[in-house]
Amino acid sequence: MCGIVGYVGSRAAVPVLIEGLSKLEYRGYDSAGIVVWEDNQLKLEKKLGRLSVLQEALQGTELNARCGIGHTRWATHGRPSDINAHPHTDCTGRFAVVHNGIIENYLELKEWLEAKGHRFKSETDTEVLPHLVEHYYRGDLKEALQKVVERLEGSYAIVVICRDEPGRLVAARQDSPLVVGLGEGENFLASDIPALLKHTRRTLIIDDGEIVDLTAENVAVSNGTGKPVKKEVFEVTWEESQAEKGGYAHFMLKEIYEQPRALRDTLSGRITPENHRVILKELNIDTHLVKKINRVFIVACGTAYHAGLVGKQVIESLVRVPVEADIASEFRYRGPLVGPDSLVVVVSQSGETADTLAALREAKRLGARVIAVTNVVGSSISREADDVIYTWAGPEIAVASTKAYTTQLICMYLLGLWLAQQRGTLPQNEIREILVELRELSAKAETILDNNSAIEEISRQYKDKENAFFIGRGLDYVVAEEGALKLKEISYIHAEAYPAGELKHGTLALIVKDVPVIALATQKALFEKMVSNIKEVNAREASIIALAMEGNTEIEKVADHTIYIPATHPMLAPVLTVIPLQLLAYHVSVARGCDVDKPRNLAKSVTVE
């Protein structure tokens, strides 16, 4: 979950490293550090806190180095501190390393190294790496790193710099992203593409087990045995400005407003012009296999899991096949009844989520067909799945996911309709009706965003509350879970979602005077029952914020505030319903003075278990 940047070239390395790290601070911001080669030595600076603290420490220093590596950390082993910050060095200061991931056997390696006289300073798992390089180094940094990775268990993206080999960086990857940026007389390394965009769009996506040898004039990639690997250049097509705030106060708000465009992009080319059929050319599953599927599993974490909960109801309704939605961190450990006739759908914004990747591998081991829904081309999950449906949401910087979630929902609808087509479980006229409504979601999302100021005004009235409840029925309950997550992760208000029908089975004990209750009532078949449930809350003098479809004005009789979404097919309502909930969470967070884009203790891409 940390950010890595490396540079070798003819210009000053420090500004390049700092600028690159600023693009990756969303991946980790407990501490930051750099190390550069200058005057035949490695010069190191690292600091607890945000990148700005490191920048202040570097002011006034005259570093003209042309080669270096940098890191922003999200703590796993060892509390955030100056000492635990990366880069880490060996006993002599000859080698320095930055690392993303977790070295699972680090204690065993540390004990072995200590027995050989190595001295450790930090509490991190990473520190074993420079000491291992020191142990194996015989004059060639690449050969030493090859020997090091043979000893490692776990996940890693590693970059090493050596005092004795100026102008050279060597890197390795296993289950943690690593990208090379190709320049003219200079080359770059990073854990994510935004760090490279200011300098180049020509990249190499490094795969598991590969080692990179980087100089200003050359990039050589090899496998673990040293055999050269030929890599195709991946041209980045999205603009650098897409990864910037674009005039918005926060990335999260910008990304909420990008949703209409993201919805259009996700649907683009995937529906026939006549709205008759779904086209998913990326799925290479023959019809015989599709018809054999007897169970679907949707596996994900966090917000992606909530998209999976919507997908469960959608696919069961459209395809008439049992669907289980699983939290990825639990999937492997419950002995899932997965086999060759199962379809497993893994959902991950980054495509690097460690628990989801592990679930994918377990599903494949059990013989299932695996479809990935992800936003990142070339990610681990996209490469290891049998088939991939990309969300095309564009880069999402804010830790709290917004446009990634709504585009994941679109992919769930497309997959459900595609399966229904293949299996013949839905009449053509019903498929067309849903597809027509899908195309209209983008414009309807824009009308919700036009109501932002009214939602902001409602939000301000609840900024001082410390508890909130979200209720709904059917698909509304699933969206309520995502709404509660958004509120608590960025505003730190305790928020819980409950099925509205469960209120009388215990939850009403928590409903007291003036506690905010966000009530979702967009499902026509359940509307009257939902109104009855809201009345139960009303009787306890709670404060009701209701969400309903336009035309259902009866809801105003039981709510203190009402937010309407444009009318749409009830199955598609989650895409629209979640947008006011995102805005509600955003404005409450701002009003409370919270760090919206970087909520405490959280990071964007969870690449550790």
Side-chain angles (χ1 to χ4, degrees):
M1 278 172 285
C2 309
I4 285 175
V5 177
Y7 174 74
V8 184
S10 58
R11 49 180 153 156
V14 172
V16 175
L17 297 175
I18 294 297
E19 195 277 335
L21 291 176
S22 73
K23 305 298 184 184
L24 300 180
E25 199 175 5
Y26 66 93
R27 294 179 65 94
Y29 39 84
D30 290 336
S31 57
I34 63 167
V35 63
V36 296
W37 186 96
E38 189 171 51
D39 298 330
N40 295 315
Q41 60 181 309
L42 297 182
K43 296 185 177 181
L44 172 70
E45 187 69 66
K46 55 183 184 176
K47 290 293 181 182
L48 170 67
R50 297 289 174 87
L51 183 62
S52 59
V53 179
L54 175 66
Q55 289 176 281
E56 289 175 10
L58 290 169
Q59 284 182 358
T61 59
E62 294 185 7
L63 294 176
N64 299 308
R66 300 296 186 260
C67 176
I69 55 179
H71 190 270
T72 59
R73 181 175 186 249
W74 187 84
T76 55
H77 292 65
R79 61 185 174 81
S81 69
D82 287 353
I83 291 175
N84 289 334
H86 297 212
H88 288 284
T89 59
D90 67 315
C91 297
T92 65
R94 193 181 190 186
F95 307 97
V97 172
V98 292
H99 161 237
N100 290 350
I102 287 179
I103 306 302
E104 294 177 0
N105 61 333
Y106 86 98
L107 283 175
E108 171 193 330
L109 292 169
K110 185 175 181 179
E111 290 173 1
W112 179 76
L113 288 161
E114 285 177 329
K116 293 184 175 296
H118 291 264
R119 303 177 306 279
F120 287 78
K121 302 173 185 176
S122 78
E123 305 165 286
T124 69
D125 56 330
T126 298
E127 197 182 356
V128 299
L129 298 173
H131 290 282
L132 285 170
V133 174
E134 179 188 4
H135 175 78
Y136 286 112
Y137 186 73
R138 299 293 184 274
D140 187 286
L141 192 58
K142 177 185 168 185
E143 290 180 3
L145 187 56
Q146 283 178 316
K147 289 183 171 65
V148 169
V149 297
E150 290 174 3
R151 298 290 306 272
L152 302 182
E153 296 174 11
S155 61
Y156 52 81
I158 303 167
V159 186
V160 188
I161 187 171
C162 176
R163 182 185 64 199
D164 299 341
E165 299 190 42
R168 186 186 192 190
L169 301 177
V170 179
R173 175 226 156 105
Q174 182 66 45
D175 296 330
S176 195
L178 187 65
V179 183
V180 172
L182 303 174
E184 295 292 333
E186 59 182 1
N187 287 301
F188 309 81
L189 279 165
S191 51
D192 206 352
I193 286 173
L196 306 175
L197 281 183
K198 184 174 181 179
H199 311 292
T200 182
R201 295 180 177 278
R202 300 177 66 243
T203 67
L204 302 178
I205 309 298
I206 304 306
D207 291 310
D208 284 349
E210 292 180 345
I211 293 178
V212 183
D213 194 345
L214 198 80
T215 66
E217 301 296 337
N218 186 59
V219 177
V221 181
S222 58
N223 62 21
T225 65
K227 182 178 179 181
V229 175
K230 185 176 177 60
K231 305 291 292 185
E232 290 186 11
V233 175
F234 175 66
E235 291 277 353
V236 181
T237 57
W238 43 271
E239 296 298 321
E240 183 184 357
S241 61
Q242 287 181 265
E244 302 296 336
K245 290 180 184 175
Y248 291 92
H250 299 92
F251 281 114
M252 183 179 177
L253 185 61
K254 172 179 178 281
E255 288 155 10
I256 290 172
Y257 270 82
E258 287 175 339
Q259 286 176 114
R261 189 272 309 159
L263 298 178
R264 288 193 297 271
D265 288 351
T266 304
L267 288 171
S268 179
R270 288 170 166 165
I271 301 175
T272 59
E274 305 83 11
N275 299 315
H276 287 156
R277 295 181 67 78
V278 172
I279 305 168
L280 291 177
K281 295 179 181 178
E282 52 265 64
L283 299 186
N284 297 308
I285 312 175
D286 63 55
T287 304
H288 175 70
L289 179 58
V290 171
K291 291 183 176 179
K292 279 180 59 182
I293 294 168
N294 60 20
R295 189 175 296 273
V296 177
F297 296 80
I298 304 176
V299 186
C301 301
T303 286
Y305 171 67
H306 293 156
L309 290 174
V310 174
K312 167 184 164 62
Q313 294 197 33
V314 167
I315 294 173
E316 284 187 341
S317 175
L318 297 177
V319 189
R320 309 309 300 166
V321 63
V323 181
E324 295 184 30
D326 270 282
I327 293 173
S329 58
E330 297 292 330
F331 180 75
R332 287 179 293 158
Y333 304 108
R334 69 175 185 85
L337 301 178
V338 173
D341 294 333
S342 303
L343 176 65
V344 175
V345 182
V346 296
V347 189
S348 166
Q349 184 278 139
S350 68
E352 302 291 347
T353 311
D355 287 314
T356 307
L357 183 59
L360 180 158
R361 290 168 177 168
E362 176 67 4
K364 293 192 75 172
R365 186 186 72 80
L366 294 171
R369 184 83 178 198
V370 178
I371 296 176
V373 175
T374 185
N375 192 36
V376 181
V377 176
S379 60
S380 297
I381 285 173
S382 71
R383 293 197 309 276
E384 295 193 27
D386 297 301
D387 307 275
V388 186
I389 303 174
Y390 289 111
T391 55
W392 304 128
E396 189 177 68
I397 306 303
V399 168
S401 181
T402 52
K403 62 179 180 174
Y405 172 76
T406 48
T407 55
Q408 286 165 358
L409 294 184
I410 296 297
C411 291
M412 291 296 168
Y413 297 128
L414 291 171
L415 177 60
L417 289 165
W418 185 85
L419 290 170
Q421 288 171 185
Q422 301 298 308
R423 292 168 68 104
T425 56
L426 199 66
Q428 180 59 49
N429 64 312
E430 292 187 30
I431 291 176
R432 187 178 189 282
E433 177 189 356
I434 297 171
L435 291 178
V436 169
E437 291 286 346
L438 266 175
R439 285 192 185 276
E440 295 178 359
L441 285 178
S442 175
K444 291 176 179 179
E446 288 178 345
T447 67
I448 296 171
L449 294 170
D450 290 340
N451 195 37
N452 177 40
S453 58
I455 297 171
E456 181 179 6
E457 179 57 34
I458 294 171
S459 303
R460 287 194 186 124
Q461 299 177 44
Y462 296 95
K463 69 181 179 66
D464 295 322
K465 301 297 182 181
E466 294 303 325
N467 296 283
F469 296 92
F470 290 69
I471 59 174
R473 303 188 72 138
L475 283 170
D476 278 338
Y477 165 58
V478 175
V479 179
E481 292 218 69
E482 173 61 12
L485 176 63
K486 281 292 151 289
L487 184 64
K488 59 189 168 189
E489 69 181 340
I490 64 170
S491 75
Y492 317 141
I493 292 174
H494 169 253
E496 297 294 337
Y498 291 94
E502 281 290 292
L503 285 170
K504 61 182 72 68
H505 297 288
T507 314
L508 276 173
L510 300 174
I511 305 300
V512 296
K513 180 178 172 59
D514 295 331
V515 68
V517 177
I518 296 87
L520 282 59
T522 71
Q523 299 299 297
K524 183 178 180 181
L526 294 164
F527 183 78
E528 294 303 326
K529 291 186 180 295
M530 189 64 202
V531 170
S532 296
N533 295 139
I534 295 173
K535 288 179 179 178
E536 294 172 355
V537 176
N538 255 338
R540 277 75 187 176
E541 299 185 83
S543 182
I544 309 296
I545 304 169
L547 273 73
M549 282 195 192
E550 289 175 345
N552 290 331
T553 55
E554 183 183 346
I555 198 76
E556 295 179 20
K557 299 176 184 177
V558 294
D560 297 282
H561 311 279
T562 304
I563 300 169
Y564 289 107
I565 66 167
T568 188
H569 192 291
M571 185 181 293
L572 306 181
V575 177
L576 301 178
T577 309
V578 78
I579 297 174
L581 301 183
Q582 294 168 348
L583 289 168
L584 185 76
Y586 170 79
H587 290 302
V588 169
S589 179
V590 171
R592 288 168 67 91
C594 299
D595 192 339
V596 175
D597 288 335
K598 299 167 185 172
R600 65 190 181 204
N601 302 332
L602 299 177
K604 184 64 178 173
S605 179
V606 185
T607 57
V608 296
E609 293 186 50

